[in-house]
Amino acid sequence: MATFDYDAEVAFSSAAPGYWASDDISPEDWSDFRWQLKNRVQKLEQIEQCIQLSQEERAGIMLTGTKLASAVTPHFFNLIEANNPGCPIRRQIIPQVAETFEDDTELSDPCGEDSHMPVPGLVHRYPDRVLLLVTDRCASYCRYCTRSRVVSGVGEQHLETKLEAAFEYLENSPQVRDVLLSGGDPLLLSDNRLKRILSRLRSIRHIQFVRIGSRIPIFLPQRITPELCDILKQFHPLFISIHANHPRELTTEVRDGLGRLADAGIPLGNQSVLLKGVNDSVEIQRALVHKLLLCRVKPYYLYQCDLIKGSAHLRTPIHRGLEIIEGLRGHTTGYAIPQFVIDAPGGGGKIPLNPDYVVSSDEERTLLRNYEGKEFLYPEAQELSQLLT
Ligand SMILES: *Cc1c(COP(=O)(O)O)cnc(C)c1O
Protein backbone atom coordinates (compact mmCIF):
# COMPACT_ATOMS: atom_id res chain seq x y z
CA MET A 1 0.00 0.00 0.00
CA ALA A 2 1.18 3.50 -0.78
CA THR A 3 2.14 5.57 2.24
CA PHE A 4 -0.23 8.35 3.11
CA ASP A 5 0.94 11.83 2.17
CA TYR A 6 -0.83 14.24 4.54
CA ASP A 7 0.77 17.36 3.07
CA ALA A 8 -0.30 16.44 -0.45
CA GLU A 9 -3.86 15.68 0.67
CA VAL A 10 -4.39 18.97 2.52
CA ALA A 11 -2.86 21.10 -0.24
CA PHE A 12 -5.41 22.81 -2.49
CA SER A 13 -5.10 22.32 -6.21
CA SER A 14 -7.19 22.58 -9.33
CA ALA A 15 -7.65 19.59 -11.61
CA ALA A 16 -8.90 21.73 -14.51
CA PRO A 17 -8.82 21.36 -17.45
CA GLY A 18 -7.69 17.76 -16.85
CA TYR A 19 -9.41 15.37 -19.26
CA TRP A 20 -10.75 18.37 -21.20
CA ALA A 21 -7.26 19.78 -21.89
CA SER A 22 -7.36 18.98 -25.61
CA ASP A 23 -10.94 20.19 -26.09
CA ASP A 24 -10.09 23.85 -26.27
CA ILE A 25 -12.74 24.96 -23.77
CA SER A 26 -12.59 28.62 -22.88
CA PRO A 27 -12.07 29.39 -19.19
CA GLU A 28 -15.42 31.23 -19.30
CA ASP A 29 -17.23 28.11 -20.45
CA TRP A 30 -15.43 25.92 -17.96
CA SER A 31 -16.38 28.14 -15.06
CA ASP A 32 -20.00 28.45 -16.21
CA PHE A 33 -22.16 26.01 -14.26
CA ARG A 34 -24.50 25.64 -17.22
CA TRP A 35 -21.62 24.40 -19.36
CA GLN A 36 -20.63 21.98 -16.60
CA LEU A 37 -24.17 20.60 -16.39
CA LYS A 38 -24.58 20.33 -20.13
CA ASN A 39 -21.32 18.45 -20.44
CA ARG A 40 -21.78 15.93 -17.65
CA VAL A 41 -20.13 12.59 -18.25
CA GLN A 42 -22.82 9.94 -18.57
CA LYS A 43 -21.98 7.39 -21.23
CA LEU A 44 -19.69 4.38 -21.09
CA GLU A 45 -17.81 5.38 -24.26
CA GLN A 46 -17.19 8.85 -22.91
CA ILE A 47 -15.88 7.51 -19.60
CA GLU A 48 -13.65 4.99 -21.33
CA GLN A 49 -12.05 7.64 -23.46
CA CYS A 50 -10.58 9.10 -20.28
CA ILE A 51 -10.12 6.40 -17.72
CA GLN A 52 -9.27 2.75 -17.69
CA LEU A 53 -12.30 0.89 -16.37
CA SER A 54 -12.24 -2.40 -14.53
CA GLN A 55 -14.58 -5.24 -15.58
CA GLU A 56 -16.65 -4.51 -12.45
CA GLU A 57 -17.08 -0.90 -13.47
CA ARG A 58 -17.84 -1.59 -17.12
CA ALA A 59 -20.54 -4.08 -16.16
CA GLY A 60 -21.81 -1.71 -13.48
CA ILE A 61 -22.23 1.14 -15.93
CA MET A 62 -24.14 -1.11 -18.32
CA LEU A 63 -26.43 -2.66 -15.69
CA THR A 64 -27.34 0.07 -13.24
CA GLY A 65 -28.84 2.78 -15.45
CA THR A 66 -32.47 1.89 -14.72
CA LYS A 67 -32.11 2.36 -10.95
CA LEU A 68 -29.95 5.43 -10.45
CA ALA A 69 -28.62 7.41 -13.38
CA SER A 70 -24.91 7.95 -13.63
CA ALA A 71 -23.77 11.46 -14.38
CA VAL A 72 -20.69 13.37 -13.27
CA THR A 73 -19.78 17.00 -13.79
CA PRO A 74 -16.51 17.57 -15.68
CA HIS A 75 -15.20 19.38 -12.60
CA PHE A 76 -15.62 16.32 -10.39
CA PHE A 77 -14.73 13.81 -13.12
CA ASN A 78 -11.32 15.46 -13.37
CA LEU A 79 -10.53 14.28 -9.85
CA ILE A 80 -10.60 10.64 -10.95
CA GLU A 81 -7.23 8.92 -11.28
CA ALA A 82 -7.26 7.34 -14.73
CA ASN A 83 -5.33 4.20 -13.90
CA ASN A 84 -6.32 3.49 -10.32
CA PRO A 85 -9.44 1.31 -9.99
CA GLY A 86 -9.31 1.91 -6.22
CA CYS A 87 -9.44 5.70 -6.63
CA PRO A 88 -11.56 7.09 -3.77
CA ILE A 89 -13.29 9.58 -6.07
CA ARG A 90 -14.17 6.92 -8.58
CA ARG A 91 -15.78 4.60 -6.02
CA GLN A 92 -18.30 7.28 -5.16
CA ILE A 93 -19.66 8.00 -8.63
CA ILE A 94 -18.73 5.24 -11.09
CA PRO A 95 -21.15 2.29 -10.71
CA GLN A 96 -19.74 -1.15 -10.02
CA VAL A 97 -21.43 -4.44 -10.80
CA ALA A 98 -21.63 -5.05 -7.03
CA GLU A 99 -24.47 -2.49 -7.03
CA THR A 100 -26.69 -5.10 -8.65
CA PHE A 101 -26.20 -7.53 -5.74
CA GLU A 102 -28.80 -6.95 -3.08
CA ASP A 103 -29.17 -8.74 0.22
CA ASP A 104 -32.35 -8.98 2.25
CA THR A 105 -31.15 -6.62 4.98
CA GLU A 106 -31.04 -3.80 2.42
CA LEU A 107 -33.91 -1.42 1.83
CA SER A 108 -35.05 0.91 -0.93
CA ASP A 109 -36.10 3.47 1.70
CA PRO A 110 -33.49 2.77 4.39
CA CYS A 111 -34.44 5.64 6.70
CA GLY A 112 -38.17 5.01 6.48
CA GLU A 113 -38.94 8.42 5.01
CA ASP A 114 -41.94 7.52 2.89
CA SER A 115 -43.90 6.44 5.97
CA HIS A 116 -43.20 9.77 7.74
CA MET A 117 -44.59 12.13 5.11
CA PRO A 118 -47.67 14.05 6.21
CA VAL A 119 -47.55 15.72 2.78
CA PRO A 120 -45.79 14.17 -0.24
CA GLY A 121 -42.14 15.32 -0.20
CA LEU A 122 -42.20 16.59 3.40
CA VAL A 123 -40.64 14.28 6.01
CA HIS A 124 -41.68 15.10 9.56
CA ARG A 125 -39.86 12.72 11.90
CA TYR A 126 -38.62 14.92 14.74
CA PRO A 127 -40.82 17.17 16.86
CA ASP A 128 -39.48 20.56 15.81
CA ARG A 129 -37.98 20.15 12.36
CA VAL A 130 -38.80 18.86 8.92
CA LEU A 131 -37.06 17.77 5.77
CA LEU A 132 -38.46 19.18 2.53
CA LEU A 133 -37.48 17.49 -0.72
CA VAL A 134 -37.51 20.24 -3.33
CA THR A 135 -36.09 18.44 -6.36
CA ASP A 136 -35.13 14.94 -7.45
CA ARG A 137 -32.06 15.97 -9.48
CA CYS A 138 -28.39 16.33 -8.53
CA ALA A 139 -25.35 17.63 -10.37
CA SER A 140 -23.73 14.16 -10.09
CA TYR A 141 -25.07 10.94 -8.59
CA CYS A 142 -23.48 9.29 -5.57
CA ARG A 143 -23.72 5.53 -5.92
CA TYR A 144 -24.68 5.09 -2.26
CA CYS A 145 -27.49 7.66 -2.43
CA THR A 146 -29.88 7.14 0.48
CA ARG A 147 -32.72 8.49 -1.65
CA SER A 148 -31.88 6.63 -4.86
CA ARG A 149 -35.47 5.30 -4.92
CA VAL A 150 -36.61 8.73 -6.11
CA VAL A 151 -33.45 10.57 -7.14
CA SER A 152 -32.30 11.02 -10.77
CA GLY A 153 -35.68 10.29 -12.33
CA VAL A 154 -34.92 6.89 -13.87
CA GLY A 155 -36.25 4.53 -11.17
CA GLU A 156 -39.81 3.25 -10.72
CA GLN A 157 -40.70 5.60 -7.89
CA HIS A 158 -40.96 9.34 -8.47
CA LEU A 159 -40.69 12.26 -6.14
CA GLU A 160 -44.03 14.05 -6.06
CA THR A 161 -43.49 16.91 -3.68
CA LYS A 162 -46.60 19.04 -3.15
CA LEU A 163 -44.89 22.32 -2.32
CA GLU A 164 -48.02 24.39 -1.74
CA ALA A 165 -49.50 21.71 0.54
CA ALA A 166 -46.14 21.51 2.38
CA PHE A 167 -46.17 25.26 3.04
CA GLU A 168 -49.75 25.03 4.32
CA TYR A 169 -48.79 22.14 6.60
CA LEU A 170 -45.91 24.21 7.97
CA GLU A 171 -48.16 27.22 8.52
CA ASN A 172 -50.40 25.01 10.62
CA SER A 173 -47.54 23.37 12.53
CA PRO A 174 -46.25 25.94 15.03
CA GLN A 175 -43.99 23.33 16.65
CA VAL A 176 -41.82 23.29 13.51
CA ARG A 177 -39.04 25.84 13.86
CA ASP A 178 -36.44 24.30 11.54
CA VAL A 179 -36.77 23.42 7.85
CA LEU A 180 -34.12 21.48 6.00
CA LEU A 181 -34.25 21.71 2.21
CA SER A 182 -32.88 18.70 0.43
CA GLY A 183 -33.71 16.48 -2.52
CA GLY A 184 -31.96 15.88 -4.90
CA ASP A 185 -29.91 19.02 -4.63
CA PRO A 186 -31.75 22.29 -3.86
CA LEU A 187 -28.93 24.44 -5.26
CA LEU A 188 -29.69 23.00 -8.68
CA LEU A 189 -32.92 25.03 -8.70
CA SER A 190 -32.78 28.38 -10.45
CA ASP A 191 -32.05 31.49 -8.43
CA ASN A 192 -35.67 32.55 -8.83
CA ARG A 193 -37.19 29.29 -7.67
CA LEU A 194 -34.90 29.17 -4.66
CA LYS A 195 -35.77 32.72 -3.81
CA ARG A 196 -39.50 31.95 -4.01
CA ILE A 197 -39.20 28.88 -1.77
CA LEU A 198 -37.03 30.67 0.78
CA SER A 199 -39.31 33.74 0.83
CA ARG A 200 -42.34 31.56 1.38
CA LEU A 201 -40.64 29.75 4.28
CA ARG A 202 -39.48 33.02 5.79
CA SER A 203 -43.04 34.36 5.65
CA ILE A 204 -43.98 31.72 8.25
CA ARG A 205 -43.31 33.39 11.58
CA HIS A 206 -42.47 30.33 13.67
CA ILE A 207 -39.79 29.07 11.29
CA GLN A 208 -36.58 30.30 12.88
CA PHE A 209 -33.99 28.26 11.14
CA VAL A 210 -33.55 27.22 7.52
CA ARG A 211 -30.82 25.09 6.08
CA ILE A 212 -29.95 23.59 2.73
CA GLY A 213 -28.30 20.21 2.25
CA SER A 214 -26.24 20.31 -0.93
CA ARG A 215 -23.33 18.65 -2.65
CA ILE A 216 -23.25 21.39 -5.30
CA PRO A 217 -20.29 23.16 -3.64
CA ILE A 218 -18.30 19.96 -4.26
CA PHE A 219 -19.71 18.73 -7.58
CA LEU A 220 -20.36 22.09 -9.19
CA PRO A 221 -18.63 24.93 -7.33
CA GLN A 222 -19.26 27.13 -10.39
CA ARG A 223 -22.91 27.29 -9.28
CA ILE A 224 -21.89 29.27 -6.18
CA THR A 225 -22.11 32.56 -8.02
CA PRO A 226 -22.03 35.98 -6.33
CA GLU A 227 -25.68 36.36 -7.43
CA LEU A 228 -26.66 33.15 -5.65
CA CYS A 229 -24.85 34.26 -2.50
CA ASP A 230 -26.65 37.61 -2.63
CA ILE A 231 -29.97 35.78 -2.67
CA LEU A 232 -29.12 33.30 0.08
CA LYS A 233 -27.92 35.96 2.47
CA GLN A 234 -31.33 37.63 2.45
CA PHE A 235 -32.74 34.68 4.39
CA HIS A 236 -30.55 34.48 7.46
CA PRO A 237 -30.22 32.60 9.69
CA LEU A 238 -29.54 30.20 6.83
CA PHE A 239 -27.04 27.36 7.17
CA ILE A 240 -25.71 25.04 4.47
CA SER A 241 -24.64 21.45 5.00
CA ILE A 242 -22.27 20.30 2.30
CA HIS A 243 -21.15 16.74 1.56
CA ALA A 244 -17.44 16.04 1.09
CA ASN A 245 -15.99 12.60 1.73
CA HIS A 246 -12.36 12.86 0.74
CA PRO A 247 -9.83 15.70 1.05
CA ARG A 248 -9.16 15.65 -2.72
CA GLU A 249 -12.71 16.90 -3.30
CA LEU A 250 -11.71 20.21 -1.75
CA THR A 251 -10.11 21.80 -4.80
CA THR A 252 -9.19 25.46 -5.22
CA GLU A 253 -12.52 26.03 -7.02
CA VAL A 254 -14.39 24.39 -4.15
CA ARG A 255 -12.45 26.38 -1.56
CA ASP A 256 -13.29 29.61 -3.39
CA GLY A 257 -16.99 28.73 -3.69
CA LEU A 258 -17.18 27.84 0.00
CA GLY A 259 -15.38 31.09 0.77
CA ARG A 260 -18.09 33.03 -1.09
CA LEU A 261 -20.78 31.28 0.97
CA ALA A 262 -18.92 31.89 4.22
CA ASP A 263 -18.40 35.54 3.27
CA ALA A 264 -22.17 35.78 2.76
CA GLY A 265 -22.45 34.91 6.45
CA ILE A 266 -23.65 31.36 5.87
CA PRO A 267 -22.43 28.92 8.53
CA LEU A 268 -21.20 25.77 6.80
CA GLY A 269 -21.22 22.19 8.04
CA ASN A 270 -20.13 18.98 6.37
CA GLN A 271 -21.96 15.68 6.36
CA SER A 272 -19.78 12.87 5.14
CA VAL A 273 -20.60 9.22 4.65
CA LEU A 274 -18.14 6.64 5.84
CA LEU A 275 -17.36 4.54 2.76
CA LYS A 276 -15.15 1.51 2.34
CA GLY A 277 -12.13 2.26 0.20
CA VAL A 278 -12.95 5.97 0.14
CA ASN A 279 -12.45 7.46 3.58
CA ASP A 280 -12.44 4.59 6.07
CA SER A 281 -9.22 5.46 7.87
CA VAL A 282 -8.20 7.90 10.57
CA GLU A 283 -5.52 9.46 8.40
CA ILE A 284 -7.86 10.29 5.52
CA GLN A 285 -10.52 11.59 7.87
CA ARG A 286 -7.94 13.72 9.66
CA ALA A 287 -6.83 15.29 6.38
CA LEU A 288 -10.48 15.78 5.38
CA VAL A 289 -11.56 17.51 8.59
CA HIS A 290 -8.47 19.72 8.69
CA LYS A 291 -9.03 20.77 5.10
CA LEU A 292 -12.70 21.47 5.84
CA LEU A 293 -11.67 23.85 8.65
CA LEU A 294 -9.35 25.59 6.18
CA CYS A 295 -12.49 26.15 4.09
CA ARG A 296 -14.42 27.44 7.15
CA VAL A 297 -16.60 24.31 7.19
CA LYS A 298 -17.37 22.59 10.49
CA PRO A 299 -17.48 18.78 10.21
CA TYR A 300 -21.05 18.08 11.39
CA TYR A 301 -21.99 14.42 10.91
CA LEU A 302 -20.09 11.32 9.87
CA TYR A 303 -22.75 8.87 8.71
CA GLN A 304 -22.60 5.13 8.84
CA CYS A 305 -23.61 4.20 5.27
CA ASP A 306 -27.36 3.54 5.07
CA LEU A 307 -28.60 0.06 4.15
CA ILE A 308 -29.41 1.17 0.65
CA LYS A 309 -29.84 -1.64 -1.88
CA GLY A 310 -26.60 -2.67 -3.55
CA SER A 311 -24.32 -0.79 -1.14
CA ALA A 312 -22.57 -3.66 0.67
CA HIS A 313 -19.32 -3.06 -1.22
CA LEU A 314 -19.20 0.47 0.18
CA ARG A 315 -20.28 -0.23 3.76
CA THR A 316 -17.83 -0.43 6.68
CA PRO A 317 -18.27 -2.21 10.02
CA ILE A 318 -19.69 0.05 12.73
CA HIS A 319 -16.53 -0.21 14.82
CA ARG A 320 -14.56 1.54 12.05
CA GLY A 321 -16.50 4.75 12.63
CA LEU A 322 -15.87 4.53 16.37
CA GLU A 323 -12.15 3.98 15.77
CA ILE A 324 -12.06 7.05 13.55
CA ILE A 325 -13.73 9.25 16.17
CA GLU A 326 -11.40 7.87 18.79
CA GLY A 327 -8.44 8.64 16.53
CA LEU A 328 -9.56 12.26 16.22
CA ARG A 329 -10.89 13.19 19.66
CA GLY A 330 -8.12 14.69 21.77
CA HIS A 331 -5.64 14.30 18.94
CA THR A 332 -6.93 17.29 17.02
CA THR A 333 -9.09 20.43 17.22
CA GLY A 334 -12.47 19.78 18.78
CA TYR A 335 -14.13 21.83 16.02
CA ALA A 336 -12.78 19.33 13.51
CA ILE A 337 -14.60 16.34 14.98
CA PRO A 338 -17.93 15.28 13.50
CA GLN A 339 -20.59 13.32 15.36
CA PHE A 340 -20.71 9.73 14.14
CA VAL A 341 -24.34 8.70 13.57
CA ILE A 342 -26.45 5.88 12.21
CA ASP A 343 -29.76 6.81 10.67
CA ALA A 344 -31.73 3.95 12.17
CA PRO A 345 -32.99 1.48 9.57
CA GLY A 346 -36.74 1.72 9.18
CA GLY A 347 -37.14 5.26 10.47
CA GLY A 348 -35.82 5.82 13.99
CA GLY A 349 -33.85 8.89 13.03
CA LYS A 350 -30.20 9.63 13.68
CA ILE A 351 -28.62 7.83 16.60
CA PRO A 352 -25.24 9.12 17.83
CA LEU A 353 -22.47 6.59 18.46
CA ASN A 354 -19.47 7.46 20.59
CA PRO A 355 -16.37 5.68 21.82
CA ASP A 356 -16.81 4.80 25.47
CA TYR A 357 -14.64 6.89 27.77
CA VAL A 358 -16.28 5.64 30.95
CA VAL A 359 -14.25 2.76 32.40
CA SER A 360 -16.56 2.16 35.36
CA SER A 361 -19.08 4.10 37.35
CA ASP A 362 -21.01 3.83 40.61
CA GLU A 363 -22.96 6.29 42.79
CA GLU A 364 -19.80 7.78 44.26
CA ARG A 365 -17.32 7.92 41.48
CA THR A 366 -16.74 7.49 37.76
CA LEU A 367 -13.53 6.17 36.35
CA LEU A 368 -12.76 7.79 33.01
CA ARG A 369 -10.08 7.35 30.41
CA ASN A 370 -8.67 10.11 28.24
CA TYR A 371 -7.59 10.01 24.60
CA GLU A 372 -4.18 8.62 25.60
CA GLY A 373 -5.70 5.79 27.61
CA LYS A 374 -4.78 7.33 30.97
CA GLU A 375 -7.38 6.88 33.70
CA PHE A 376 -8.91 9.59 35.88
CA LEU A 377 -11.36 9.45 38.76
CA TYR A 378 -14.25 11.90 39.03
CA PRO A 379 -16.04 11.79 42.39
CA GLU A 380 -19.72 12.74 42.51
CA ALA A 381 -20.71 15.61 44.78
CA GLN A 382 -21.73 14.36 48.19
CA GLU A 383 -25.11 15.18 49.63
CA LEU A 384 -24.74 18.07 52.06
CA SER A 385 -26.93 16.26 54.62
CA GLN A 386 -24.44 13.38 54.67
CA LEU A 387 -21.52 15.69 55.35
CA LEU A 388 -23.32 17.26 58.31
CA THR A 389 -24.08 14.05 60.15
C1 LIG B 1 -31.33 14.47 9.34
C2 LIG B 1 -32.73 14.86 9.39
C3 LIG B 1 -33.13 16.05 10.00
C4 LIG B 1 -32.15 17.01 10.62
O1 LIG B 1 -31.53 16.44 11.75
P1 LIG B 1 -30.44 17.27 12.57
O2 LIG B 1 -29.92 16.30 13.58
O3 LIG B 1 -31.14 18.43 13.17
O4 LIG B 1 -29.39 17.71 11.60
C5 LIG B 1 -34.47 16.34 10.02
N1 LIG B 1 -35.38 15.50 9.50
C6 LIG B 1 -35.04 14.34 8.95
C7 LIG B 1 -36.11 13.45 8.42
C8 LIG B 1 -33.71 13.98 8.87
O5 LIG B 1 -33.35 12.82 8.28
Side-chain angles (χ1 to χ4, degrees):
M1 235 181 94
T3 52
F4 185 78
D5 188 344
Y6 173 88
D7 291 337
E9 293 292 0
V10 295
F12 290 95
S13 61
S14 168
Y19 296 114
W20 280 261
S22 58
D23 289 10
D24 218 15
I25 315 268
S26 73
E28 291 72 35
D29 276 345
W30 180 268
S31 45
D32 181 344
F33 71 88
R34 293 173 204 88
W35 184 93
Q36 289 279 334
L37 284 172
K38 212 182 307 159
N39 289 281
R40 291 191 300 177
V41 180
Q42 289 168 295
K43 299 237 160 15
L44 176 63
E45 309 78 68
Q46 211 183 347
I47 300 173
E48 273 195 313
Q49 274 170 18
C50 304
I51 68 176
Q52 202 183 336
L53 290 174
S54 66
Q55 291 300 335
E56 287 75 17
E57 289 168 324
R58 189 175 296 109
I61 294 164
M62 290 191 291
L63 293 170
T64 58
T66 56
K67 288 165 76 188
L68 176 69
S70 53
V72 190
T73 55
H75 169 84
F76 198 76
F77 192 87
N78 264 345
L79 303 179
I80 296 176
E81 299 164 80
N83 300 313
N84 176 12
C87 163
I89 301 300
R90 200 152 151 165
R91 287 177 66 77
Q92 298 180 56
I93 38 108
I94 303 287
Q96 294 181 41
V97 75
E99 252 180 62
T100 64
F101 307 151
E102 298 176 1
D103 77 50
D104 53 16
T105 67
E106 295 175 342
L107 303 160
S108 63
D109 178 15
C111 303
E113 293 177 338
D114 290 345
S115 58
H116 285 79
M117 288 190 189
V119 171
L122 183 85
V123 187
H124 193 177
R125 178 186 332 283
Y126 299 106
D128 69 340
R129 55 207 191 280
V130 296
L131 169 66
L132 179 57
L133 306 177
V134 295
T135 172
D136 63 355
R137 299 306 151 94
C138 291
S140 305
Y141 293 106
C142 310
R143 305 318 302 171
Y144 49 89
C145 176
T146 191
R147 230 163 267 134
S148 53
R149 69 188 184 285
V150 287
V151 161
S152 89
V154 302
E156 281 165 24
Q157 202 179 325
H158 288 277
L159 183 70
E160 284 165 11
T161 301
K162 300 257 186 299
L163 263 189
E164 208 37 59
F167 294 138
E168 277 168 32
Y169 176 87
L170 292 173
E171 274 163 352
N172 296 315
S173 306
Q175 73 277 26
V176 175
R177 40 162 290 287
D178 169 1
V179 177
L180 160 54
L181 300 181
S182 184
D185 200 313
L187 294 185
L188 215 46
L189 299 181
S190 69
D191 288 1
N192 277 334
R193 282 206 64 196
L194 265 173
K195 194 172 174 175
R196 278 209 303 276
I197 292 172
L198 291 168
S199 311
R200 189 71 162 74
L201 288 173
R202 275 282 168 247
S203 74
I204 305 173
R205 292 263 298 278
H206 53 267
I207 293 174
Q208 302 170 345
F209 184 77
V210 176
R211 53 183 151 159
I212 297 175
S214 173
R215 207 177 184 183
I216 286 275
I218 302 297
F219 281 149
L220 188 64
Q222 298 81 5
R223 172 71 184 99
I224 312 300
T225 58
E227 296 74 33
L228 176 67
C229 296
D230 283 342
I231 291 173
L232 296 176
K233 74 181 185 199
Q234 296 166 29
F235 300 99
H236 279 314
L238 178 112
F239 283 45
I240 292 183
S241 295
I242 69 161
H243 172 182
N245 290 327
H246 191 281
R248 249 172 263 169
E249 295 167 32
L250 300 166
T251 63
T252 46
E253 293 86 350
V254 169
R255 179 194 59 193
D256 295 348
L258 292 169
R260 287 190 288 276
L261 291 171
D263 286 346
I266 301 171
L268 302 170
N270 183 54
Q271 314 198 84
S272 67
V273 181
L274 190 50
L275 297 167
K276 191 195 236 167
V278 174
N279 57 8
D280 53 342
S281 73
V282 174
E283 56 193 7
I284 292 175
Q285 289 286 339
R286 186 185 298 123
L288 172 64
V289 297
H290 287 174
K291 211 168 173 184
L292 284 164
L293 290 189
L294 288 169
C295 295
R296 291 184 274 170
V297 180
K298 158 86 183 86
Y300 179 43
Y301 284 138
L302 173 63
Y303 286 92
Q304 174 71 11
C305 185
D306 288 331
L307 292 173
I308 192 73
K309 286 187 177 177
S311 64
H313 62 297
L314 290 171
R315 298 204 305 268
T316 50
I318 287 174
H319 68 82
R320 183 62 38 77
L322 292 171
E323 286 157 15
I324 287 169
I325 301 303
E326 191 155 356
L328 296 175
R329 174 64 65 191
H331 300 276
T332 192
T333 314
Y335 269 111
I337 302 166
Q339 173 66 56
F340 180 43
V341 290
I342 298 192
D343 216 328
K350 297 175 186 72
I351 298 176
L353 294 175
N354 294 298
D356 198 355
Y357 294 102
V358 176
V359 179
S360 66
S361 177
D362 61 27
E363 276 171 24
E364 279 154 31
R365 62 186 68 185
T366 298
L367 186 62
L368 302 161
R369 70 177 173 88
N370 76 353
Y371 73 102
E372 301 162 301
K374 292 185 184 147
E375 294 189 354
F376 300 87
L377 204 56
Y378 185 92
E380 299 288 346
Q382 293 184 35
E383 290 288 340
L384 213 50
S385 56
Q386 279 179 325
L387 291 175
L388 293 171
T389 54

